[in-house]
Amino acid sequence: MAKAARILNQPADEKKYAARALKIKNAFNAKYLNTTSGIYDKGYQTELSVPLYWGIVPDSLKRKVAANLAKKVQEDNYQLDVGILGAKAILGALSENGYTDVAYTLASRETYPSWGWWIANGATTLYENWKIESKSDISLNHIMFGEIGAWLYKGLGGIKPDEHQPGFKHVLLTPHFVKGLSQFSASHVSPYGPITSAWKSLGGEIIYKVTIPANCSAELRFSALGKKKVYLSGKRSNRQFSDLPAGEYLFSIK
């Protein structure tokens, strides 16, 4: 609401809603967050995911809370233990805080309950219920656990809009290359044309291809590469670009 008020040039409303947001954030953390351990309430997957995803966690504790979430998922044997709200938050909470490999392992799991479980049992759409044999609440075209679709674009492809230049006039690209996946491609048809983010893993080398539409630009950031170096069209390159012009680019990471 504060952001909307700022865009609409309503400073009094911006101040009012920013103050209310801060009050809610502080009250939430005062009641549920253990600042010593970095645990929210009992430390369940949803309790750790939602504050991270919605920006409630204090900046100084984000790393600790995210580590606790990753640890909890690992302790749960990479098994989902969330409902509707947690399913919306958990993948993004992990991948936006340095644990994309954990998020992918969770997302691709094929045992009940999971998106992979649906696929393993013949699903080609999003179901309403994890239980495919359920006699009720079993719509076969439902957004209930639908964040998985958006996460593939954001978490693996790294395609995100820039709120300061809406409509993908300026694109944010933060691709993640995960273990256990040899190739990935995502394409979004923006008002200016298709945005493509695709990569292949060839032994110890990653080939990353990106397409930025005409009259657009992109901020590109590679992360979690360790000691690997980035090459663009065969020449040593930076790991990040703040204003990459329109065009097709082929990166090699090795």
Side-chain angles (χ1 to χ4, degrees):
M1 290 295 291
K3 286 182 179 179
R6 183 170 64 253
I7 291 170
L8 297 173
N9 194 28
Q10 299 293 326
D13 281 347
E14 180 186 359
K15 182 177 179 181
K16 169 185 173 182
Y17 289 117
R20 185 171 297 179
L22 181 60
K23 180 179 179 181
I24 292 169
K25 175 180 177 177
N26 290 340
F28 187 92
N29 287 329
K31 183 173 178 64
Y32 296 110
L33 174 60
N34 184 320
T35 56
T36 301
S37 65
I39 296 287
Y40 277 88
D41 203 40
K42 296 180 179 64
Y44 295 141
Q45 289 181 18
T46 296
E47 291 172 333
L48 296 170
S49 298
V50 171
L52 280 168
Y53 186 78
W54 293 112
I56 299 295
V57 183
D59 289 343
S60 61
L61 288 173
K62 278 184 180 179
R63 181 173 294 184
K64 182 176 284 189
V65 174
N68 284 329
L69 172 60
K71 181 181 178 182
K72 179 61 177 173
V73 171
Q74 291 162 347
E75 288 175 348
D76 292 338
N77 197 27
Y78 296 94
Q79 184 70 61
L80 277 171
D81 184 25
V82 296
I84 303 170
L85 302 180
K88 168 70 178 177
I90 191 166
L91 298 178
L94 287 165
S95 61
E96 292 300 315
N97 290 281
Y99 295 96
T100 309
D101 283 329
V102 176
Y104 174 69
T105 302
L106 188 66
S108 60
R109 189 181 176 97
E110 295 184 352
T111 55
Y112 172 87
S114 69
W115 298 282
W117 166 255
W118 285 343
I119 295 172
N121 284 273
T124 57
T125 55
L126 291 166
Y127 288 5
E128 180 182 4
N129 202 318
W130 291 125
K131 295 181 179 180
I132 57 177
E133 75 283 358
S134 180
K135 301 302 181 183
S136 62
D137 303 320
I138 193 62
S139 162
L140 304 186
N141 183 18
H142 214 84
I143 199 60
M144 183 84 79
F145 302 114
E147 174 67 11
I148 181 67
W151 179 78
L152 291 171
Y153 286 87
K154 297 181 294 183
L156 297 184
I159 301 174
K160 303 170 189 174
D162 181 349
E163 67 178 51
H164 300 295
Q165 298 187 61
F168 289 99
K169 180 68 175 174
H170 185 71
V171 187
L172 304 181
L173 291 169
T174 54
H176 291 110
F177 315 117
V178 295
K179 297 174 183 177
L181 191 60
S182 60
Q183 63 180 24
F184 178 84
S185 179
S187 182
H188 172 69
V189 181
S190 78
Y192 304 95
I195 302 164
T196 301
S197 177
W199 51 266
K200 289 184 178 181
S201 179
L202 304 172
E205 182 181 9
I206 296 170
I207 304 299
Y208 176 64
K209 183 178 180 180
V210 59
T211 302
I212 304 166
N215 300 312
C216 296
S217 60
E219 177 183 308
L220 172 61
R221 293 179 182 272
F222 296 112
S223 61
L225 299 183
K227 295 182 179 180
K228 291 185 177 181
K229 297 177 176 62
V230 179
Y231 298 85
L232 174 58
S233 299
K235 297 181 180 180
R236 183 72 182 274
S237 173
N238 297 324
R239 292 189 174 198
Q240 60 184 50
F241 300 82
S242 59
D243 198 25
L244 199 62
E248 290 189 353
Y249 300 90
L250 190 65
F251 292 90
S252 173
I253 302 164
K254 55 187 177 180

